[in-house]
Amino acid sequence: MKKFNIRKVLDGLTAVSSPSPSPQLGAKENELIPETLQSEHFQICKTVRHGFPYQPSSMAFDPVQKILAIGTQSGALRLFGRPGVECYCQHESGAAVIQLQFLINEGALVSALADDSIHLWNLRQKRPAVLHSLKFNKERITFCHLPFQSKWLYIGSERGNIHIVNVESFTLSGYTIMWNKAIELFSSLTAYFPSFLVPPTSFFFFQLIIGFESGIVVLWDLKSKRADYRYTYDEAIHSVAWHHEGKQFICSHSDGTLTIWNIKSPAKPAQTITPHGKQPKDGKKPEPCKPILKVEYKTTRAGDPFMIFSGGLSYDTVGRRPCLTVMHGKSTAVLEMDYPIVDFLTLCETPYPNDFQEPYAVVVLLEKDLVVIDLAQNGYPIFENPYPMMIHESPVTCCEYLADCPVDLIPALYSVGSRQKRQGYSKKEWPISGGNWGLGTQSYPEIIITGHADGSVKFWDASAIMLQVLYKLKTAKVFEKARCKEEKPNTEIVDEDPFAIQLMSWCPESRMLCVAGVSAHVIIYRFSKQEITTEVVQLLEVRLQYELNDLESPEGGGDQTPAPPTPSTSPSPQTAAPQTHTSTSSNSSDGIRDNIPCLKVRSSPLKQSPGYQVELVVQLVWVSGEPPQQISSLAINSSYGLVVFGNSNGLAVVDYLQKTVLLNLGTVELYGSNDPYQRQLRSPRKSRQPSGDYLVCMCVFHTLHVFHSVTIMFLFLSTGLCDINEGSATSEDRCKSPTSGFNVFVKRGVLFFPAKMSRKLSLPTELKPDLDNRDNSFSRSRSSSVTSIDKEAREAVTSFYFCETYNRKTDGGLTPSLWVGTSLGTVLAISLNMPPAGEQRLLQPVIVSPCGTLVRLKGSILRMAFLDSTGSLLPSAFEPWYEPNAPANGEERDKVRKRRPVSVSPSTSQELNENQYAVLCSEKQAKVISLPSQTCVFKHNITETSFVLRADVVQINTGICVACFCANGHIMTLSLPGLRPLLDVNYLPLTDMRIARTFCFTNLGQALYLISPTEIQRITYSQEVCENLQEMLGELFTPVETPEAPNRGFFKGLFGGGAQSLDREELFGESGAGKAPRSLAQHIPGPGGIEGMKGAASGIVGDLARARIALDERGQKLSEVEERTAAMMASADTFSKHAHEMMLKCKDKKWYQF
């Protein structure tokens, strides 16, 4: 009896209830294409976030664990350990993080937010969680401070009050320092209230320094609950710092001064310094400077102390960049920063504030960078930042993500990228070195490519959820740069960032790279390990522009002067300098720009370092005063040696091996006479009507002797390329070969050549024009939103795919092809007749011929792919990489470049009578087309109310699927070839076009997008990766012994008291200080604590988790009890020994001898 499977029943019900039509494939054929992917194979979760924290607001450092925490204005937390150990957390409220405080070496972190809440984070787990939260209701939080090895957190408020919180229970203490008791109001009430607490910056013994913004500093005695001393200054205070001995402290002020005070001399400061102020000769007060926002006072055993501060520059330093000043003894170093300073911290050898700090580095948090300065070396060099924080060095404009790429690719990119590293960094190791790496089993290589606004392209190693820059390519070096605005050419189509990268196409096997920029330029790069100097950069200029007749009034006056016939082919480049190219720039008498590119290619020799080197530059030019349209689609194929790009006007196919344009025509011309929208090109001669008998020829010959054996390439009905007169063929009516002087013209479908080279060709039956019987069924079936002829007039090319497939129903074998997708949902095919490999490939031309329309979908075409008869993904053909600049007698020159064959199973193909399946995905729907019959076997309507932004055909586990990201935030996957919905999750709404521009899927369940201008968010949609993610993540907290406390000496210990007495319950606990008012703050249990776990967990899993935590706590307590017991036993043994010695000593003495 057949086993009943409820999942198959549910899948069937889903397919029936969905709005998409049912599969059109027979039952027999459906069984022969099994689908291994099921819905349980998919799950969405975030993996890791890379890049610089966007809009940072605060910073903290654990000197024992060596962990750095950064908070942002959006409530995010980024934690950094050693390179490769990173963690991202997010506060639910999204309020700005105003301050962070580590519980040093305790695996916990306190965050204070702008919404007057404080949170305790548990860092002892791989994904930190909030243990407790405390929300203040009546007072605004301005500052908080947690002394080392103390469980009492001091919180300053906007009213000037200080509250104390127990970090273990996260409850308020009844001990409160009121502002009026601290500053002792008398007759000066109006002068000092309201005042704002700046910080209690350091805890020394039983004294707490409180700085108020109004200029008052109070030394508060915690035991006696009164102010010992009060210090006043005329200028507002921004920060306060202790000297480690507790005899002095330093303040920074709003007029750019630093005041150093002795504890027992409150009348006036012991020293007043204006570091950047001009000192008058008459001894008057220096001129005021900008505020010093923060100062730190660090001491050393062997030398002078360090005074480090930010700000304080003179007001006359206009245009000077933000600075950090380091004063050490008599030397003053001013370190300029690229961005405004948010915060800085001094890293010291000891965590104890009452010992010599011995500073060794300064961490400076800037608005868009993180800088670490080495204080131990002369000149204060910076450390080389190992984190991927310079993603935003120039704004990211596009991304590509490749998983499971060739294993030799990352070492090759690293070897050439290591030569680009800057010099002059500190030779010491990176000081932020806490945490441990994960132990994940993910071993496949991953590469992320980012294109930037300055024209640079960066390659990143993204393996094992890490990110490290490998190589940086600067595409702007190819062009001439204007030195000033006056020299800027008036042909640019963008005001800013004319070199910005818009599209990228990369063949990882051959390492060929092609990029398209916003200035309508395409650059083709070849990878080489040798340095070369290119005397002349090879250039092609293409006129890709066409115009349509006014369809509303096709009978326009004949006296109008039409534009020149476009599009047209561009001549191949010559061996001379770029300015000697045939496509010369020209301006008419009335100033109309024509044949002018947007950018000027450099004419001087170009030195190209190892890595990616320019092979060819292709530029679209102005046509009759109209700028070229930006490129909307791009593809490269290393096996064919071709690059194709398109825009809203049409497409162009370029042979980058022979440096020629093979095809250049408008999108309308691809349809031939079967254009469903009946659009017509504007003829340059209104009196001549286009005839369906005309066949326009475009011949691309590399040299003259190829004519004897070449098969002539033909195109259909392209009156914009050549305007042919039926009666005569003048010089204006002929199409000229770009490299030869021979004239070629067409008369009534016959192709004529001079003398013996003439050959007669006829149109194929399926391409013959039929102007009287146009198929308008699709035009009538489209939605009303696209019925306007004005909207349909300009059809952009949106996607390409190189493949070996069947272009016609009658094809008996596979042929190299180029499939083209348009913005109106049309898929067309172009056949490629490739010459033999080797030297013949460089001599004979590639023959290109359009094959007409194959299929139409709703919405713009986004992605195309091909499957074999078993449902396996067919990769595009590629050429293995070889060294292009190898010596002439080297082995690399002897390598034969072969195209990778496409495997097809003959037995299955014969049984099904179908050899391939084409997968087509648009903004609205997906279709699977059987080839060569060109019948639709599966169709699925992806969305009705939204549209797809990104679609990719990816491989996951043992199957393949279509992954889609919609504008409404849904991430969906569809099985192949059946197009069954497997996943539909409302993940991320489209809040910024940056997400739509950078979102991309890749194989093995990986995806990424730019979550902010400076950060990349990586996600997974694979259940297997989600299950293994916990092992792959690094650990932030590692067991480290706390350094020993400094030896304070006999007299200090005898007369100085101790800090330990301040942490007793008698002082701040409920028994000594009472309870705090309930209305002051509200305690909220976090999801990471026991309370949150009790509410979230249920059943035996929750019980086991709670039992495990309780067991760990019990084990810790037992170990503490064991240590105490051992100490008591040792003390008892010592006491027994001394007692026995005393007994022996006094045994024989009489009573009067005592």
Side-chain angles (χ1 to χ4, degrees):
M1 183 176 178
K2 190 176 180 179
K3 187 177 179 181
F4 178 75
N5 193 335
I6 186 65
R7 182 172 296 280
K8 292 184 178 180
V9 175
L10 294 176
D11 291 339
L13 291 174
T14 303
V16 172
S17 61
S18 64
S20 60
S22 59
Q24 304 174 18
L25 193 66
K28 178 181 177 181
E29 289 141 338
N30 195 15
E31 291 177 359
L32 293 178
I33 308 176
E35 296 180 358
T36 58
L37 292 180
Q38 302 297 331
S39 58
E40 59 264 21
H41 293 143
F42 296 90
Q43 181 182 346
I44 293 286
C45 70
K46 295 180 180 180
T47 54
V48 67
R49 182 174 293 195
H50 301 295
F52 182 77
Y54 183 56
Q55 294 180 340
S57 55
S58 57
M59 179 175 57
F61 181 72
D62 188 328
V64 179
Q65 288 289 322
K66 308 288 186 182
I67 297 175
L68 181 72
I70 297 177
T72 70
Q73 295 182 16
S74 60
L77 278 181
R78 295 285 301 278
L79 297 139
F80 299 92
R82 65 179 59 190
V85 178
E86 298 181 26
C87 185
Y88 164 78
C89 310
Q90 177 67 46
H91 292 90
E92 292 183 0
S93 65
V97 181
I98 60 175
Q99 197 175 356
L100 296 171
Q101 288 280 312
F102 271 104
L103 277 69
I104 297 177
N105 205 26
E106 296 291 336
L109 175 71
V110 175
S111 60
L113 307 187
D115 64 351
D116 308 316
S117 63
I118 57 175
H119 307 268
L120 179 64
W121 291 83
N122 179 18
L123 306 183
R124 291 176 177 255
Q125 54 196 46
K126 291 190 174 182
R127 288 190 176 273
V130 175
L131 293 171
H132 301 278
S133 297
L134 199 63
K135 182 70 168 63
F136 282 78
N137 299 323
K138 295 183 177 181
E139 298 192 41
R140 302 295 305 273
I141 298 175
T142 57
F143 209 88
C144 60
H145 175 68
L146 181 66
F148 178 48
Q149 293 183 332
S150 173
K151 66 178 182 179
W152 301 103
L153 175 68
Y154 300 86
I155 298 177
S157 71
E158 191 178 31
R159 294 183 179 179
N161 303 326
I162 297 178
H163 305 280
I164 300 176
V165 176
N166 187 331
V167 294
E168 293 180 352
S169 61
F170 235 60
T171 55
L172 270 175
S173 168
Y175 191 110
T176 303
I177 304 175
M178 305 301 293
W179 67 271
N180 52 355
K181 292 185 178 180
I183 64 175
E184 195 175 10
L185 291 180
F186 292 104
S187 59
S188 56
L189 178 63
T190 57
Y192 293 122
F193 182 85
S195 57
F196 306 96
L197 177 75
V198 176
T201 55
S202 181
F203 181 84
F204 183 77
F205 300 141
F206 52 88
Q207 294 172 328
L208 181 70
I209 277 202
I210 306 169
F212 293 88
E213 191 180 37
S214 59
I216 301 177
V217 177
V218 175
L219 183 64
W220 184 265
D221 190 302
L222 293 171
K223 281 187 175 180
S224 60
K225 300 181 182 180
R226 63 180 180 84
D228 286 347
Y229 298 99
R230 296 179 179 86
Y231 315 85
T232 59
Y233 194 73
D234 297 336
E235 300 293 335
I237 296 176
H238 287 276
S239 66
V240 183
W242 271 108
H243 187 277
H244 85 278
E245 292 181 347
K247 298 179 180 179
Q248 287 183 333
F249 64 89
I250 187 171
C251 300
S252 66
H253 299 275
S254 59
D255 63 345
T257 59
L258 296 173
T259 56
I260 300 176
W261 300 78
N262 291 326
I263 288 291
K264 297 184 178 180
S265 302
K268 64 177 182 178
Q271 188 177 3
T272 301
I273 308 172
T274 307
H276 298 295
K278 296 181 180 179
Q279 301 292 336
K281 297 181 180 180
D282 53 2
K284 294 183 179 180
K285 188 177 180 180
E287 296 180 0
C289 297
K290 297 178 183 178
I292 297 179
L293 301 178
K294 183 177 180 179
V295 63
E296 291 200 349
Y297 197 17
K298 303 299 179 181
T299 56
T300 59
R301 296 181 185 274
D304 297 318
F306 282 86
M307 285 190 289
I308 306 169
F309 59 90
S310 61
L313 295 178
S314 176
Y315 281 104
D316 59 2
T317 55
V318 180
R320 190 168 183 178
R321 293 185 294 179
C323 296
L324 183 80
T325 305
V326 180
M327 299 177 64
H328 183 216
K330 296 181 180 180
S331 67
T332 300
V334 180
L335 309 178
E336 291 189 345
M337 303 294 165
D338 293 332
Y339 306 102
I341 298 174
V342 177
D343 195 5
F344 72 90
L345 294 171
T346 306
L347 308 188
C348 302
E349 297 288 350
T350 177
Y352 294 94
N354 56 343
D355 191 14
F356 289 97
Q357 279 85 42
E358 302 293 343
Y360 60 89
V362 179
V363 181
V364 187
L365 178 63
L366 308 178
E367 283 189 358
K368 294 183 179 180
D369 198 3
L370 181 71
V371 178
V372 182
I373 302 168
D374 188 355
L375 294 178
Q377 294 188 24
N378 294 330
Y380 302 132
I382 64 173
F383 290 86
E384 184 178 7
N385 194 332
Y387 304 134
M389 286 192 171
M390 294 311 293
I391 295 174
H392 64 286
E393 184 178 13
S394 176
V396 178
T397 54
C398 56
C399 287
E400 291 296 333
Y401 189 11
L402 293 94
D404 200 16
C405 53
V407 293
D408 61 339
L409 196 53
I410 291 179
L413 291 170
Y414 181 80
S415 64
V416 296
S418 59
R419 307 178 188 181
Q420 298 177 334
K421 291 186 176 181
R422 293 170 51 190
Q423 303 297 325
Y425 290 110
S426 173
K427 298 180 181 180
K428 294 185 177 181
E429 294 184 359
W430 181 251
I432 306 169
S433 57
N436 288 323
W437 292 305
L439 303 175
T441 58
Q442 179 179 332
S443 58
Y444 51 84
E446 300 174 73
I447 290 180
I448 296 174
I449 311 176
T450 56
H452 299 264
D454 63 349
S456 61
V457 177
K458 293 183 181 179
F459 293 80
W460 306 82
D461 179 9
S463 307
I465 68 172
M466 297 184 183
L467 194 68
Q468 180 183 7
V469 66
L470 293 172
Y471 173 73
K472 180 179 179 181
L473 171 66
K474 297 180 179 179
T475 64
K477 290 183 177 180
V478 180
F479 303 101
E480 299 283 356
K481 291 185 178 180
R483 299 180 180 179
C484 57
K485 293 183 179 180
E486 289 74 12
E487 296 182 7
K488 191 174 182 180
N490 56 1
T491 57
E492 294 185 0
I493 57 177
V494 290
D495 294 333
E496 296 181 357
D497 302 323
F499 310 110
I501 304 298
Q502 196 167 17
L503 295 171
M504 297 181 292
S505 180
W506 190 43
C507 178
E509 289 82 8
S510 65
R511 304 179 190 174
M512 292 296 298
L513 174 67
C514 185
V515 299
V518 296
S519 297
H521 64 274
V522 175
I523 310 177
I524 303 161
Y525 288 91
R526 191 184 293 274
F527 187 84
S528 174
K529 295 182 179 180
Q530 307 293 329
E531 181 178 316
I532 63 171
T533 299
T534 304
E535 296 296 331
V536 177
V537 177
Q538 297 292 317
L539 171 65
L540 283 178
E541 294 179 353
V542 180
R543 293 172 62 93
L544 190 57
Q545 190 94 356
Y546 77 98
E547 296 179 0
L548 297 174
N549 276 326
D550 190 355
L551 299 182
E552 296 180 357
S553 57
E555 302 174 358
D559 55 347
Q560 297 178 1
T561 303
T566 55
S568 63
T569 57
S570 172
S572 61
Q574 309 297 322
T575 57
Q579 51 264 37
T580 64
H581 290 301
T582 311
S583 295
T584 57
S585 303
S586 63
N587 286 338
S588 62
S589 59
D590 56 354
I592 297 178
R593 304 184 185 95
D594 191 57
N595 281 349
I596 304 176
C598 299
L599 301 175
K600 184 180 179 181
V601 176
R602 63 183 297 168
S603 56
S604 58
L606 176 62
K607 182 179 180 181
Q608 304 196 68
S609 303
Y612 276 101
Q613 299 170 352
V614 179
E615 178 82 2
L616 179 65
V617 178
V618 183
Q619 288 185 288
L620 299 183
V621 297
W622 288 65
V623 178
S624 302
E626 293 188 9
Q629 298 296 317
Q630 291 186 353
I631 296 171
S632 59
S633 53
L634 178 71
I636 187 172
N637 186 277
S638 59
S639 177
Y640 306 150
L642 301 179
V643 166
V644 58
F645 58 90
N647 58 13
S648 59
N649 288 335
L651 62 87
V653 181
V654 175
D655 184 344
Y656 64 80
L657 297 179
Q658 299 186 20
K659 310 297 190 296
T660 55
V661 179
L662 301 179
L663 184 66
N664 175 14
L665 73 166
T667 316
V668 179
E669 298 169 291
L670 287 173
Y671 289 96
S673 61
N674 297 320
D675 183 9
Y677 311 110
Q678 303 183 16
R679 297 164 294 189
Q680 298 179 5
L681 286 175
R682 179 181 298 170
S683 173
R685 297 170 179 83
K686 290 286 183 178
S687 59
R688 297 174 183 173
Q689 300 298 328
S691 172
D693 294 334
Y694 284 1
L695 175 70
V696 175
C697 172
M698 181 179 69
C699 301
V700 180
F701 303 108
H702 189 65
T703 53
L704 180 59
H705 65 269
V706 182
F707 274 92
H708 296 281
S709 59
V710 70
T711 302
I712 303 304
M713 174 190 65
F714 57 89
L715 305 176
F716 59 90
L717 203 66
S718 182
T719 58
L721 286 175
C722 305
D723 186 40
I724 303 168
N725 188 1
E726 187 175 341
S728 62
T730 62
S731 60
E732 297 179 357
D733 299 327
R734 299 183 181 118
C735 293
K736 295 185 178 181
S737 173
T739 56
S740 66
F742 286 92
N743 298 327
V744 183
F745 58 93
V746 182
K747 181 188 289 185
R748 292 199 173 276
V750 180
L751 182 66
F752 291 94
F753 288 88
K756 297 180 181 181
M757 298 180 189
S758 64
R759 185 175 303 185
K760 184 175 181 179
L761 296 177
S762 61
L763 276 168
T765 306
E766 58 187 272
L767 288 181
K768 285 184 177 179
D770 188 6
L771 299 178
D772 298 330
N773 300 317
R774 296 180 184 270
D775 183 12
N776 296 327
S777 59
F778 179 73
S779 178
R780 291 192 297 267
S781 64
R782 290 181 63 87
S783 63
S784 60
S785 61
V786 204
T787 55
S788 170
I789 291 182
D790 293 337
K791 293 182 180 179
E792 294 170 348
R794 175 156 292 189
E795 183 176 8
V797 178
T798 57
S799 62
F800 296 109
Y801 194 83
F802 286 99
C803 56
E804 292 189 0
T805 185
Y806 306 93
N807 291 326
R808 301 174 178 87
K809 297 180 181 180
T810 58
D811 285 353
L814 302 173
T815 58
S817 309
L818 170 64
W819 282 38
V820 181
T822 71
S823 59
L824 295 184
T826 306
V827 177
L828 307 104
I830 298 176
S831 178
L832 307 174
N833 190 353
M834 305 298 301
E839 293 184 0
Q840 294 298 319
R841 173 64 183 87
L842 302 177
L843 299 177
Q844 298 185 17
V846 178
I847 311 303
V848 184
S849 57
C851 301
T853 304
L854 295 175
V855 68
R856 294 188 178 96
L857 286 76
K858 294 180 181 179
S860 177
I861 302 297
L862 299 179
R863 192 66 57 190
M864 295 178 283
F866 287 83
L867 311 178
D868 62 12
S869 57
T870 63
S872 300
L873 185 65
L874 290 174
S876 297
F878 62 86
E879 175 188 62
W881 177 79
Y882 68 96
E883 176 55 60
N885 301 319
N889 56 354
E891 297 180 359
E892 295 287 344
R893 291 289 184 183
D894 299 333
K895 287 186 178 181
V896 180
R897 294 173 288 169
K898 296 182 179 179
R899 191 168 65 248
R900 180 176 179 177
V902 179
S903 59
V904 179
S905 175
S907 59
T908 310
S909 301
Q910 294 174 4
E911 183 179 353
L912 290 176
N913 197 25
E914 301 288 355
N915 290 339
Q916 284 186 357
Y917 296 98
V919 181
L920 311 174
C921 185
S922 72
E923 293 176 334
K924 291 290 186 180
Q925 63 180 191
K927 284 185 180 181
V928 175
I929 307 299
S930 178
L931 300 176
S933 65
Q934 298 183 8
T935 58
C936 178
V937 292
F938 293 101
K939 182 173 69 173
H940 178 76
N941 292 329
I942 301 174
T943 177
E944 295 291 344
T945 59
S946 184
F947 58 93
V948 179
L949 292 169
R950 176 80 182 212
D952 289 287
V953 178
V954 295
Q955 186 168 0
I956 177 173
N957 296 337
T958 57
I960 55 175
C961 65
V962 180
C964 304
F965 173 61
C966 298
N968 58 7
H970 284 247
I971 292 179
M972 293 179 284
T973 59
L974 306 173
S975 68
L976 285 176
L979 297 179
R980 291 183 298 109
L982 299 174
L983 175 72
D984 189 353
V985 176
N986 187 3
Y987 172 73
L988 177 72
L990 182 62
T991 57
D992 197 317
M993 284 305 298
R994 177 183 60 252
I995 299 175
R997 189 175 63 247
T998 57
F999 200 105
C1000 51
F1001 297 95
T1002 188
N1003 295 328
L1004 305 175
Q1006 305 289 345
L1008 66 81
Y1009 59 94
L1010 212 66
I1011 186 65
S1012 72
T1014 63
E1015 296 169 293
I1016 287 178
Q1017 178 66 59
R1018 293 169 65 180
I1019 64 173
T1020 180
Y1021 51 95
S1022 168
Q1023 173 67 27
E1024 181 181 359
V1025 177
C1026 290
E1027 292 176 352
N1028 299 328
L1029 183 60
Q1030 194 69 13
E1031 298 180 0
M1032 297 165 60
L1033 295 175
E1035 295 182 356
L1036 289 170
F1037 178 81
T1038 55
V1040 179
E1041 292 187 4
T1042 303
E1044 294 184 1
N1047 185 9
R1048 299 178 54 212
F1050 175 76
F1051 290 102
K1052 287 186 178 180
L1054 183 63
F1055 301 107
Q1060 294 78 7
S1061 60
L1062 293 176
D1063 286 340
R1064 294 179 180 176
E1065 288 291 334
E1066 290 81 2
L1067 186 61
F1068 301 120
E1070 185 176 339
S1071 59
K1075 292 184 178 181
R1078 292 184 178 180
S1079 60
L1080 184 60
Q1082 178 186 2
H1083 178 261
I1084 305 172
I1090 293 293
E1091 299 85 349
M1093 189 186 68
K1094 287 180 180 178
S1098 61
I1100 189 170
V1101 178
D1103 295 337
L1104 288 174
R1106 287 192 293 270
R1108 182 178 179 181
I1109 293 177
L1111 198 61
D1112 292 341
E1113 294 178 353
R1114 186 167 179 260
Q1116 293 178 1
K1117 292 180 180 179
L1118 285 177
S1119 62
E1120 294 177 359
V1121 170
E1122 185 178 356
E1123 293 176 357
R1124 293 177 183 177
T1125 303
M1128 291 176 63
M1129 290 180 62
S1131 178
D1133 292 340
T1134 303
F1135 179 77
S1136 175
K1137 183 179 179 180
H1138 285 296
H1140 184 69
E1141 292 177 355
M1142 182 65 70
M1143 184 267 295
L1144 293 178
K1145 185 177 180 180
C1146 303
K1147 181 178 180 182
D1148 298 331
K1149 291 186 178 180
K1150 302 297 181 180
W1151 62 270
Y1152 54 83
Q1153 293 178 335
F1154 288 99

